[in-house]
Amino acid sequence: MVYFYTIFFGLALLSTLALIFTKIYKKDSLVLEKITKILVIVFMSLHFLNLFLPDSLAMRTFDDLSNYVGGENIWFILIRWFNDFAFIAIPIALFFKNKTFIKFVSFFTLIISIVNASIFFKYIEVYTSTAGAGIMALRFFSAETKAFFINPIFRGIYFGIENYIQLMLSIFILLKNVKTIEFNKEIKEILKEVAVFFATLVSVIPIYAPQFLFKGYSLTTENVFTTFKMGEFFHIVWIIFIILEGIILTYIFKNKSKETKLILIYILTFSLILQYNQMFTGIGEITTHRMPFQLCNMAPLFILIMLLTKSEKVYHFTLVINAVGAIIAMVMCDTTPYGVTYIMNIHYIAEHTNVILIPILCATLRIFAPLKNKDVKHFIIGFTIYFLFILLVGGIFTGLKETTGNDYWNCNYLFMFNKEETMAIVGFVGPLFDMKIVIANFFTLSLTQLLVYLVFMGICTGAFFLMKLLLNKNTKKLIDTND
């Protein structure tokens, strides 16, 4: 323990002195800027990859529910939540140089980084527990490999580096902006910043946090008011919430600068990336069934590509294919009928909410150009490529399942590979699975697959022209006004 704190805070002190020296004497400031931007990418990558490593706190099911009943770990859950906030705040402060987020990082995130170091061994305790899942649960790994993932030295070095970078980036942002940071004196402006802080914090809530905070961990399906089922109270509330959130955010940001609008979209995108992938931390074994090949699962990747490349073609794909797919998933509510705060239900809600809102807000806030009739080809070509990819991958996995008898290969991407699972949702398609061609006694093509392609493409084509009518109404140019 003494060695860790000596090394960590010794390095932090020396690095801080080096930053102060650089600032005073203005040595290689451009080089330092580039280094910090690289470090942001490294920090975000480490934070992201950690979602796939064992964590005994972010589990789908627990044998011992005392953590929920007593609430002993709520304070630690809050700290973890604040670190997810840092995942969003640091890149926005550094790349966008947003004054509000510079304040958040310079003070709040900086303090949290120090707290992380002070409770370092609490982190290692939950990261090295044999109760953890993540990638360690894969059946193909040897016992030695699984042991490595919960090795105290490995996890200690990993978390130490991640938190060290988070701390130094926070200090760098503070030192770089210390002379320009201004604290608002007007109550109205203070309230705006407080609202931005809490709105960002709520947007990035870990999917495992609600069941701790509200002591709502439950596998019951009996209480209608607390369960999450199609057509029941919380399902209706969720649908209304998405509609209202879209309207409210459009109203608030419609006359803001394009940079401010982009910050909003990046906040939602980074939240989506974290909240979707947090599922892999505690779901148990990551089988092919859970691999991120469904439309909504791949949406975070497509959205990130859209934002980084500013590609209109990818935008048209996310707006039509991803958003429509997520809307269908929202209406059908194909999720676990347990308590609404159950981790997998929060995952389902958070993922599909942002997959719907992000591309639609890109349209309503005019971050991308209005739709044109010729744009229809972009989502048709995009979905065709995606469909053929899924047809190939899903067909291979299904063939492996049938030839080996290993349920690891069970999948049902686009609901067209597993007859029983699909019939549980839409029973009438059962006979279509039996109309099939088997190639080389391995690869199966069925009429269900053709039906999925044609029906979904028809729905999306209709949705495209409806979106074009509604989103382009009375708008002939992009809105890009200043704050």
Side-chain angles (χ1 to χ4, degrees), residues 356-370:
I356 292 170
L357 284 178
I358 291 170
I360 289 179
L361 285 172
C362 284
T364 60
L365 296 177
R366 303 305 172 194
I367 292 173
F368 287 92

Side-chain angles (χ1 to χ4, degrees), residues 371 464-474:
L371 296 174
F464 170 83
F465 288 105
L466 180 61
M467 288 178 179
K468 179 176 176 292
L469 175 66
L470 296 177
L471 296 175
N472 295 358
K473 188 177 181 180
N474 301 321

Side-chain angles (χ1 to χ4, degrees), residues 413-465:
Y413 309 134
L414 290 179
F415 304 99
M416 59 187 191
F417 294 101
N418 189 304
K419 178 179 178 180
E420 290 72 24
E421 288 183 13
T422 303
M423 286 184 65
I425 303 171
V426 279
F428 65 87
V429 302
L432 299 180
F433 277 90
D434 300 325
M435 301 177 186
K436 60 188 179 182
I437 301 172
V438 181
I439 302 173
N441 201 32
F442 178 82
F443 195 93
T444 302
L445 295 173
S446 73
L447 199 57
T448 304
Q449 294 156 352
L450 178 61
L451 180 68
V452 167
Y453 179 82
L454 294 176
V455 170
F456 189 73
M457 188 60 72
I459 292 172
C460 288
T461 302
F464 170 83
F465 288 105

Side-chain angles (χ1 to χ4, degrees), residues 58-209:
M59 298 295 291
R60 181 168 58 167
T61 57
F62 291 84
D63 294 328
D64 180 9
L65 299 184
S66 61
N67 285 332
Y68 298 96
V69 177
E72 291 84 357
N73 282 315
I74 286 180
W75 67 272
F76 188 49
I77 292 294
L78 291 173
I79 298 298
R80 302 273 290 267
W81 187 355
F82 297 153
N83 281 294
D84 285 345
F85 176 87
F87 180 85
I88 290 178
I90 289 175
I92 290 177
L94 193 64
F95 287 99
F96 285 93
K97 297 179 174 59
N98 181 271
K99 293 180 180 179
T100 300
F101 279 87
I102 286 172
K103 293 179 188 177
F104 295 162
V105 173
S106 299
F107 301 101
F108 182 75
T109 300
L110 175 58
I111 292 172
I112 293 303
S113 301
I114 296 171
V115 172
N116 286 340
S118 69
I119 59 171
F120 173 82
F121 292 94
K122 174 66 176 177
Y123 274 94
I124 303 310
E125 176 187 331
V126 298
Y127 285 156
T128 58
S129 169
T130 55
I135 198 171
M136 185 178 69
L138 281 173
R139 70 187 71 177
F140 303 115
F141 284 142
S142 66
E144 291 77 14
T145 302
K146 293 182 178 182
F148 174 75
F149 290 126
I150 56 174
N151 181 281
I153 296 175
F154 166 64
R155 297 310 298 272
I157 292 173
Y158 190 105
F159 178 68
I161 293 173
E162 179 187 346
N163 190 54
Y164 173 76
I165 296 175
Q166 179 175 312
L167 174 63
M168 296 318 302
L169 286 172
S170 301
I171 292 173
F172 170 79
I173 290 170
L174 172 61
L175 292 176
K176 179 177 170 55
N177 299 280
V178 66
K179 291 184 178 179
T180 58
I181 293 177
E182 296 179 356
F183 292 96
N184 296 313
K185 296 180 180 179
E186 297 182 11
I187 296 296
K188 182 180 178 180
E189 295 303 316
I190 293 173
L191 291 177
K192 280 184 180 180
E193 290 190 343
V194 171
V196 171
F197 175 82
F198 281 105
T200 304
L201 192 62
V202 170
S203 76
V204 76
I205 184 171
I207 62 173
Y208 54 85

